[in-house]
Amino acid sequence: MSPSLLFFFFLFFSIALYNQSAYLLKLSGRVDIDKARLVRWENSTILNNENCQVINVANACEDVKIHFASQTAFLACGDPLERTHWYPPACIRTVSRRSESSFREKLFKHDLKIGRTTELQIKGLQGDFITHGIDIFQQPEDPSKIYIFAVNHARDGDSIAIFIHKIGSDIVELVKNVKHPNIKTANGVAATGPLDFYITNDHYFEKGPLRDLEEKYGPWHWATNVQYCDANHKDVSCKQVSRTFPGANGIGLWTDRLFIGDSKNGTVTVFQIHDDKSLTELQTVDLGAAADNINILPTGDPIVAVFPTLEDLPKYLQNVKSLGKKLLVPAAALRLNQNRGYTPELIYFDNGSRISFMTAVAADSTNGIFIGSGVLQYGGFSVCKLPTDVFA
């Protein structure tokens, strides 16, 4: 029986039979997560937030990637208030309340050398552009250009928009807007070539009543997964290459390792990548907090944005104008040191006065620069100067 039929069958009887609902929900695949596991870092002291500047040019930056060679950060950003009306990852789809012009969200670059933030002109992409996770890919034979991969939650369905960008310019030009039935609830993207990539799907159902029920009664062990997509030909192919997770979210790639963060279970799973892009699971790391986006240091160590307190998304959505101001949501970042078996190490903690509900972190460890960004905050990212020995 498919997960959707099993889900519907057991959920119907779970609601009808109150005394046995918990048991039936478990049979249908509901995961009971010990919330006490997810607050390990809740009472941490302030760490490495002393020399930070919040950048107000861009808002609601869900993800960030650093191109180390040019010391440039690339960010996928949007409009906090408009996201409270339409933002499919948050199960919000009230089209009539979101202004038409706001369905074109933005990409920015930030020059780490001089501190300048610039909006990138998007050419060639028609229709909606609602951002989420991003990644960059550079072909060794042409260091003057990079490919930017951006998750797009358009009204006609999710896609991965692939752009080409000449380093130093202010333009990104569409190469291909990749659509496939398996790209349905995309969250993170990790590029493996100019036109191929991994994604995480962070829900089973895209929309409608079943999505509402999935959200209300989950998490479910069968709900989310990793897909590998090849768009090098006219017919795009995507296939599931991982087991399922309660909450597959952030994704990061380093040589032959793929890292998948779980926003429900508070883990990062490490996979080996094979030549055919299949995966072998190597280990799962308990983070002690819900995981969001993942970036990789030049050393190959992942750094992960985590939520040190239990997430309260409805509260954040109701108070987007106050996030980082009157409403402070603690933020933290962990380094997974590969030389210590990927043991989590706290490298950043803030009470939310810089970035609240921080969904992504990236770092230039050579120059001691740390970036944190938030999916719903006005003043969408901060740039911090950290001692280089933080990354030693």
Side-chain angles (χ1 to χ4, degrees), residues 60 78-99 102-103 105 130-131 312-323 327 357 375-378:
D79 186 309
L81 188 59
E82 297 290 0
R83 284 183 172 181
T84 68
H85 306 317
W86 169 277
Y87 200 56
C91 204
I92 301 172
R93 290 176 170 269
T94 313
V95 174
S96 60
R97 296 188 63 192
R98 181 159 183 158
S99 66
S102 76
F103 278 95
E105 293 191 334
I130 304 296
T131 67
D312 190 350
L313 183 57
K315 181 179 180 179
Y316 310 155
L317 289 166
Q318 292 166 12
N319 296 277
V320 291
K321 292 182 179 180
S322 300
L323 271 177
L327 176 59
F357 191 36
V375 64
L376 292 175
Q377 182 169 309
Y378 285 98

Side-chain angles (χ1 to χ4, degrees), residues 272-332:
Q272 180 180 353
I273 303 171
H274 300 289
D275 290 342
D276 62 357
K277 300 303 188 291
S278 63
L279 302 175
T280 298
E281 186 170 332
L282 300 178
Q283 71 179 98
T284 296
V285 180
D286 194 328
L287 300 177
D292 207 298
N293 287 308
I294 300 172
N295 269 295
I296 312 296
L297 296 173
T299 60
D301 290 347
I303 57 172
V304 190
V306 297
F307 307 136
T309 55
L310 297 179
E311 181 183 341
D312 190 350
L313 183 57
K315 181 179 180 179
Y316 310 155
L317 289 166
Q318 292 166 12
N319 296 277
V320 291
K321 292 182 179 180
S322 300
L323 271 177
K325 302 171 182 68
K326 292 182 179 179
L327 176 59
L328 301 181
V329 180

Side-chain angles (χ1 to χ4, degrees), residues 90-360:
C91 204
I92 301 172
R93 290 176 170 269
T94 313
V95 174
S96 60
R97 296 188 63 192
R98 181 159 183 158
S99 66
E100 186 64 29
S101 62
S102 76
F103 278 95
R104 292 286 291 194
E105 293 191 334
K106 301 175 180 180
L107 297 174
F108 287 85
K109 67 174 184 178
H110 179 81
D111 189 320
L112 300 177
K113 300 184 295 295
I114 62 175
R116 179 187 298 156
T117 304
T118 305
E119 181 182 346
L120 296 171
Q121 300 176 47
I122 298 173
K123 294 189 175 182
L125 179 66
Q126 304 300 315
D128 297 348
F129 185 53
I130 304 296
T131 67
H132 201 155
I134 62 169
D135 198 16
I136 58 178
F137 179 84
Q138 181 174 327
Q139 289 184 304
E141 61 269 21
D142 189 358
S144 69
K145 296 177 182 178
I146 61 169
Y147 292 84
I148 299 177
F149 292 65
V151 171
N152 180 14
H153 299 294
R155 281 170 284 188
D156 63 354
D158 283 7
S159 65
I160 306 299
I162 304 175
F163 303 96
I164 195 164
H165 170 71
K166 183 177 181 180
I167 298 298
S169 77
D170 299 338
I171 296 170
V172 294
E173 189 164 357
L174 185 72
V175 176
K176 193 169 189 175
N177 191 31
V178 182
K179 296 186 177 183
H180 189 276
N182 289 19
I183 305 174
K184 57 179 182 175
T185 59
N187 185 304
V189 57
T192 56
L195 289 170
D196 43 279
F197 52 89
Y198 292 101
I199 65 158
T200 52
N201 280 319
D202 64 15
H203 285 79
Y204 189 87
F205 298 104
E206 179 185 357
K207 57 186 176 180
L210 290 179
R211 171 63 178 263
D212 294 336
L213 291 172
E214 178 186 353
E215 197 80 27
K216 182 175 181 179
Y217 292 100
W220 311 92
H221 72 75
W222 42 259
T224 74
N225 58 55
V226 180
Q227 301 278 334
Y228 170 71
C229 297
D230 185 345
N232 284 284
H233 309 285
K234 181 179 178 180
D235 293 330
V236 175
S237 65
C238 292
K239 61 180 180 180
Q240 183 174 327
V241 289
S242 75
R243 63 172 173 87
T244 56
F245 303 83
N249 190 298
I251 184 170
L253 187 152
W254 177 259
T255 60
D256 66 344
R257 294 291 184 267
L258 189 71
F259 304 91
I260 303 298
D262 193 311
S263 62
K264 302 296 184 183
N265 203 30
T267 59
V268 164
T269 302
V270 185
F271 292 91
Q272 180 180 353
I273 303 171
H274 300 289
D275 290 342
D276 62 357
K277 300 303 188 291
S278 63
L279 302 175
T280 298
E281 186 170 332
L282 300 178
Q283 71 179 98
T284 296
V285 180
D286 194 328
L287 300 177
D292 207 298
N293 287 308
I294 300 172
N295 269 295
I296 312 296
L297 296 173
T299 60
D301 290 347
I303 57 172
V304 190
V306 297
F307 307 136
T309 55
L310 297 179
E311 181 183 341
D312 190 350
L313 183 57
K315 181 179 180 179
Y316 310 155
L317 289 166
Q318 292 166 12
N319 296 277
V320 291
K321 292 182 179 180
S322 300
L323 271 177
K325 302 171 182 68
K326 292 182 179 179
L327 176 59
L328 301 181
V329 180
L334 304 176
R335 174 189 181 183
L336 308 185
N337 192 321
Q338 58 184 324
N339 293 327
R340 299 173 185 169
Y342 296 111
T343 300
E345 303 170 0
L346 187 68
I347 60 170
Y348 177 90
F349 186 89
D350 177 63
N351 67 353
S353 61
R354 274 56 171 179
I355 298 295
S356 280
F357 191 36
M358 186 174 72
T359 51

